[in-house]
């Protein structure tokens, strides 16, 4: 590895750090960071995509650099756009600024990108290098990529369990398995989501609010899978539906009067087809959320819903909190029900798994290797 290559990596690491500041603020756009660097290695300007509809990272960085950008190098985590969207093309801004060289971590997965921005820069006589730190850059925009290429949102599955793999005791007691530090991480996660999905069983058992406390950059829609629209109007979710969006996903078998009662309480009722187990079809729900440009979904639910998510290969990411507690019992529930895997050789594995101790709990975060 040459010194120049190492320097390029350092600058792109900085650009990735900047990009992460936009997570939760820019969706359904991707998080992007950019750095303008002079011939002597001095940073002339930095920027990131700060909010949806606002200027892109390159524009912020070029504005910070001003006239000094002429003849400089631009480091950017994602291929600059070459189309008119909410903002003008970044390629034109780069060309107009007189940038000499552009180092791009990852190409744009969207159909309106796909190398066109890079081609336009090269045709303007700008040297372009692509692929340095490509893996972390692609991971950063994975939710955007999935939405653009499949029409489906990025799905995170979350649960807390005891050391012996239980999410509740034999009597259904589950509060609290994890400690306050773990729960604060969950609240941070919720604050970056477009929607949080749960099942009616969880609502009946725990009467959750499914809100981020303190609030984050996004206000997630609380979604309840409820095939017969049986959720109580006295539940915390329905009681707060006029302030924070609630959607009940039901089936055509639900009584119309129940749907009307919920709608009058401020709840959106979405009717989807039934799955083979007579529950609302999860794929149909995810397709609808994708049509609404929801990018990040968190599933916080019981074993039936979580099991269906994994059976249908809808999960992309796992957030599991393991508490140093033991409850035992044949009737105590574990995180995943459903059909499951037939042989251990076919078990779903997490890749890029990370492990962190949070006040005694073990937090496991990783990506599902064989998701859709």
């Amino acid at each position: 590895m040459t010194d120049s290559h190492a320097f390029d990596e350092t600058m792109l690491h900085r650009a990735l750090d900047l990009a992460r500041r936009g997570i939760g603020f820019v969706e359904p756009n991707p998080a992007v960071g950019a750095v303008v660097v002079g011939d002597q290695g001095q940073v002339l300007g930095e920027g990131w995509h700060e909010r949806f509809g606002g200027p892109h990272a390159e524009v912020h960085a070029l504005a910070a650099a001003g006239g000094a950008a002429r003849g400089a190098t631009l480091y950017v985590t994602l291929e600059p756009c070459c189309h008119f969207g909410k903002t003008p093309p970044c390629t034109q801004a780069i060309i107009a600024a007189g940038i000499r060289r552009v180092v791009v971590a990852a190409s744009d997965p969207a159909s309106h990108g796909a190398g066109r921005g890079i081609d336009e820069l090269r045709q303007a006589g700008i040297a372009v290098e692509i692929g340095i730190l490509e893996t972390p850059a692609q991971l950063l925009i994975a939710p955007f990529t999935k939405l653009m290429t499949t029409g489906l949102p990025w799905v995170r599955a979350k649960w807390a369990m005891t050391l012996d793999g239980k999410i509740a005791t034999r009597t259904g007691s589950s509060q609290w398995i994890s400690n306050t530090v773990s729960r604060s991480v969950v609240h941070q996660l919720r604050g970056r989501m477009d929607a949080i999905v749960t099942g009616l069983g969880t609502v009946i058992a725990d009467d959750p609010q499914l809100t981020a406390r303190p609030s984050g950059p996004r206000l997630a829609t609380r979604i309840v899978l409820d095939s017969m629209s049986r959720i109580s109007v006295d539940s915390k979710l329905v009681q707060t539906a006029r302030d924070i969006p609630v959607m009940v996903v039901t089936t055509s078998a639900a009584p119309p009067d129940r749907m009307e009662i919920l709608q009058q309480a401020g709840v959106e009722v979405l009717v989807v087809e039934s799955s083979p187990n007579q529950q609302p079809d999860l794929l149909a729900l995810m397709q609808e959320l994708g049509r609404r440009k929801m990018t990040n979904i968190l599933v916080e639910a019981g074993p039936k819903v979580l099991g269906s998510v994994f059976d249908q290969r809808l999960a992309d990411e796992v957030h599991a909190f393991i508490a140093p507690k033991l409850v035992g019992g044949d009737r105590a529930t574990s995180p995943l029900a459903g059909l499951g895997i037939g042989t251990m050789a076919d078990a779903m594995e997490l890749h890029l798994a990370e492990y962190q101790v949070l006040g005694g709990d073990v937090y496991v975060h990783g990506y599902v290797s064989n998701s859709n």
Side-chain angles (χ1 to χ4, degrees):
M1 180 182 296
T2 64
D3 289 343
S4 61
H5 187 94
F7 183 79
D8 288 346
E9 284 196 352
T10 298
M11 291 298 101
L12 281 174
H13 273 300
R14 174 59 183 165
L16 286 166
D17 288 341
L18 292 167
R20 294 184 183 100
R21 298 182 184 182
I23 294 175
F25 296 93
V26 303
E27 291 81 0
N29 282 353
V32 181
V35 182
V36 179
V37 178
D39 287 341
Q40 303 303 312
Q42 73 276 28
V43 173
L44 304 172
E46 297 181 331
W48 66 94
H49 188 22
E50 298 177 7
R51 60 178 179 83
F52 178 72
H56 290 184
E58 300 94 318
V59 173
H60 282 301
L62 291 170
R70 185 161 300 278
T73 296
L74 172 69
Y75 294 88
V76 62
T77 58
L78 182 65
E79 174 185 351
C81 67
C82 60
H83 66 284
F84 280 90
K86 294 282 185 182
T87 60
C90 289
T91 49
Q92 292 301 310
I94 294 168
I95 294 168
I99 289 290
R100 175 182 60 83
R101 175 175 175 252
V102 176
V103 182
V104 179
S107 60
D108 190 345
S111 58
H112 54 247
R116 292 182 178 88
I118 292 169
D119 289 343
E120 185 173 323
L121 294 175
R122 285 173 172 163
Q123 289 169 8
I126 298 173
V128 181
E129 296 182 42
I130 185 167
I132 300 174
L133 298 189
E134 182 176 16
T135 297
Q138 288 180 336
L139 192 61
L140 176 67
I141 63 165
F144 169 76
T145 300
K146 186 183 180 187
L147 185 63
M148 289 295 102
T149 58
T150 71
L152 299 175
W154 185 263
V155 178
R156 293 165 170 85
K158 171 266 170 184
W159 65 84
M161 68 182 184
T162 62
L163 188 59
D164 54 339
K166 307 298 184 182
I167 62 171
T169 69
R170 58 182 172 78
T171 65
S173 174
S174 62
Q175 295 183 341
W176 296 101
I177 292 174
S178 58
N179 61 36
T180 56
V181 182
S182 294
R183 296 200 295 275
S184 70
V185 172
V186 174
H187 282 290
Q188 292 171 26
L189 189 60
R190 287 177 179 176
R192 301 195 301 270
M193 297 295 107
D194 293 304
I196 300 169
V197 178
T198 196
L200 178 63
T202 298
V203 175
I204 292 173
D206 299 337
D207 194 20
Q209 296 184 66
L210 298 180
T211 53
R213 301 182 293 276
S215 59
R218 303 190 81 76
L219 186 65
T221 298
R222 286 90 51 87
I223 299 178
V224 182
L225 302 172
D226 182 2
S227 60
M228 297 298 290
S229 298
R230 293 192 295 122
I231 186 172
S232 171
V233 293
D234 295 323
S235 65
K236 291 176 182 176
L237 289 173
V238 176
Q239 288 293 306
T240 59
R242 296 194 185 279
D243 300 315
I244 304 172
V246 173
M247 176 193 294
V248 168
V249 183
T250 192
T251 68
S252 58
D257 61 327
R258 286 295 307 164
M259 297 188 207
E260 185 176 351
I261 288 171
L262 293 173
Q263 289 170 331
Q264 289 176 350
V267 173
E268 178 184 359
V269 177
L270 176 68
V271 180
V272 300
E273 295 181 359
S274 297
S275 63
N277 61 3
Q278 304 306 308
Q279 297 302 309
D281 184 77
L282 274 171
L283 178 58
L285 169 61
M286 294 305 168
Q287 289 170 334
E288 175 59 26
L289 299 183
R291 281 190 287 270
R292 299 184 186 201
K293 300 302 180 185
M294 289 191 178
T295 310
N296 294 288
I297 309 299
L298 180 65
V299 180
E300 284 194 66
K304 289 183 180 179
V305 173
L306 280 170
S308 294
V309 167
F310 283 90
D311 280 349
Q312 296 183 50
R313 300 296 191 268
L314 293 172
D316 300 289
E317 195 172 325
V318 166
H319 296 261
F321 299 84
I322 306 168
K325 300 176 181 178
L326 302 168
V327 299
D330 291 340
R331 291 185 294 161
T333 51
S334 57
L336 307 183
L339 181 62
I341 298 298
T343 64
M344 192 58 67
D346 295 326
M348 289 173 275
E349 297 184 18
L350 294 188
H351 66 96
L352 300 177
E354 298 177 345
Y355 308 87
Q356 187 177 357
V357 178
L358 302 176
D361 292 349
V362 177
Y363 171 33
V364 181
H365 167 228
Y367 302 87
V368 183
S369 60
N370 59 350
S371 60
N372 284 341

